[in-house]
């Protein structure tokens, strides 16, 4: 099983100082697979991603990438091992133009300038604009495209749609779907919009009180209104007025 999994978490405990936020988190994702991480505010979704990336210390358990234990690697070495992190803050370079942002951290592979411009035509149009001149939606596209240019085996997204205008949410959702479904880009997606996240992914986990309280195929959870309402009620109501 460990050999087939692209990423595998095994009994992960993590938190801050004395405070344990996550305890006993285990899941495996196959190559090309996609996982939605759901849960109410403050349950530890971001902490889970930060732990995978190595920004939060692992207290117990293991994280394996293609069978290799990366639990003790520094974040930049995990990135080199294939983890592509798109932080919630986007962190684009404001004084570089779009194309410079894209190439600054690029590594060779299938995702080159042409490929990301095909996926994000808006970025091609804005290629000569400074990072600081972009709208929030364009900055988010740039943040994702820049991470793609590092040619990761797994893309890790923390609320990529947060704070964006509805029309941009629609455009970006379509792009993420193309990436995951057509291009087979493996992905872990944290998203407040549960419905959107479930439409974009194969599998889902719901975190509550530090553990995985529920796991399901995304398509099944999408039809299971009672379970969705129990765990992420507010988001569902927001999506269905
Ligand atoms: N740097 C930190 N130091 C101490 N505690 C933290 C730190 N960051 C987060 N926490 C705490 O860890 C818990 C989980 O936070 P986290 O940000 O992972 O939740 P989340 O599910 O991503 O929430 P949200 O839906 O609001 O994004 C919270 O109780 C939070 O207060
Ligand atoms: Mg968060």
């Amino acid at each position: 099983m460990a050999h087939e999994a692209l990423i595998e978490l095994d009994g992960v405990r993590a938190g801050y100082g004395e405070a344990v936020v996550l305890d006993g988190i285990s899941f495996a994702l196959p190559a090309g697979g996609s996982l939605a991480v759901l849960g109410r505010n403050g349950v530890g979704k971001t902490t889970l991603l930060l732990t995978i990336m190595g920004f939060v210390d692992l207290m117990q358990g293991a994280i394996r990438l293609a069978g290799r234990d990366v639990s003790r690697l520094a974040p930049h070495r995990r990135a080199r091992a294939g983890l592509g992190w798109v932080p919630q803050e986007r962190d684009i370079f404001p004084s570089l133009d779009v194309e410079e942002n894209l190439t600054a951290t690029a590594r060779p592979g299938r995702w080159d300038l042409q490929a990301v411009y095909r996926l994000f035509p808006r970025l091609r149009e804005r290629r000569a604009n400074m990072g600081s001149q972009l709208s929030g939606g364009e900055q988010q596209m740039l943040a994702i495209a820049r991470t793609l240019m590092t040619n990761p085996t797994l893309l890790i997204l923390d609320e990529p749609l947060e704070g964006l205008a509805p029309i941009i949410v629609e455009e970006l959702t379509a792009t993420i779907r193309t990436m995951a479904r057509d291009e087979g880009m493996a992905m872990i997606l944290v998203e407040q919009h549960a419905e959107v996240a479930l439409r974009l992914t194969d599998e889902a986990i719901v975190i509550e009180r530090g553990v995985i309280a529920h796991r399901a195929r995304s398509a099944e959870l999408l039809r299971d209104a009672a379970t969705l309402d129990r765990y992420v009620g507010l988001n569902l109501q927001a999506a269905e007025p």
Side-chain angles (χ1 to χ4, degrees):
M1 185 180 87
H3 303 287
E4 285 176 20
L6 170 60
I7 190 166
E8 189 178 16
L9 270 67
D10 190 359
V12 163
R13 177 190 295 169
Y16 306 91
E18 298 286 289
V20 175
V21 174
L22 303 169
D23 203 1
I25 300 281
S26 300
F27 65 78
L29 192 68
S34 52
L35 177 78
V37 178
L38 307 177
R40 294 179 195 273
N41 286 335
V43 294
K45 303 180 298 295
T46 296
T47 300
L48 176 62
L49 302 188
L50 293 173
T51 305
I52 293 172
M53 288 310 302
F55 295 112
V56 166
D57 282 341
L58 188 67
M59 297 167 168
Q60 197 177 296
I63 299 167
R64 286 184 284 273
L65 194 61
R68 172 190 181 198
D69 191 337
V70 298
S71 309
R72 306 280 161 246
L73 293 187
H76 72 278
R77 297 196 50 210
R78 295 191 202 192
R80 217 178 303 151
L83 296 180
W85 169 237
V86 184
Q88 200 165 5
E89 308 75 41
R90 293 162 196 162
D91 282 345
I92 61 163
F93 306 118
S95 56
L96 298 185
D97 69 26
V98 165
E99 197 145 311
E100 288 165 342
N101 263 280
L102 289 172
T103 51
T105 53
R107 284 193 297 261
R110 59 186 279 235
W111 292 107
D112 55 15
L113 268 180
Q114 240 187 329
V116 299
Y117 281 154
R118 210 177 306 128
L119 197 59
F120 297 97
R122 250 172 204 270
L123 292 181
R124 190 200 299 273
E125 289 164 26
R126 303 285 254 141
R127 66 211 284 174
N129 286 101
M130 291 297 165
S132 57
Q133 296 173 313
L134 303 179
S135 69
E138 290 165 345
Q139 285 185 24
Q140 186 58 272
M141 291 174 192
L142 179 56
I144 296 172
R146 185 182 60 176
T147 302
L148 277 180
M149 294 268 295
T150 69
N151 280 287
T153 53
L154 175 65
L155 197 61
I156 299 179
L157 301 158
D158 194 1
E159 300 202 33
L161 307 175
E162 197 204 7
L164 302 181
I167 182 119
I168 300 293
V169 167
E170 234 169 82
E171 186 178 332
L172 195 52
T173 301
T175 306
I176 293 173
R177 180 177 295 116
T178 302
M179 225 163 57
R181 296 261 185 260
D182 304 344
E183 307 280 351
M185 188 72 227
M187 185 171 86
I188 296 179
L189 174 66
V190 166
E191 188 47 64
Q192 288 289 330
H193 307 67
E195 279 209 39
V196 174
L198 292 172
R199 286 181 204 286
L200 290 173
T201 51
D202 306 325
E203 298 170 61
I205 58 175
V206 182
I207 299 179
E208 200 174 70
R209 295 197 186 88
V211 301
I212 297 180
H214 189 78
R215 63 179 88 207
R217 303 285 302 167
S218 297
E220 279 165 32
L221 188 52
L222 197 54
R223 288 191 298 265
D224 185 356
T227 303
L228 255 185
D229 190 42
R230 170 145 40 98
Y231 291 118
V232 285
L234 292 173
N235 304 305
L236 189 66
Q237 280 155 21
E240 285 181 343

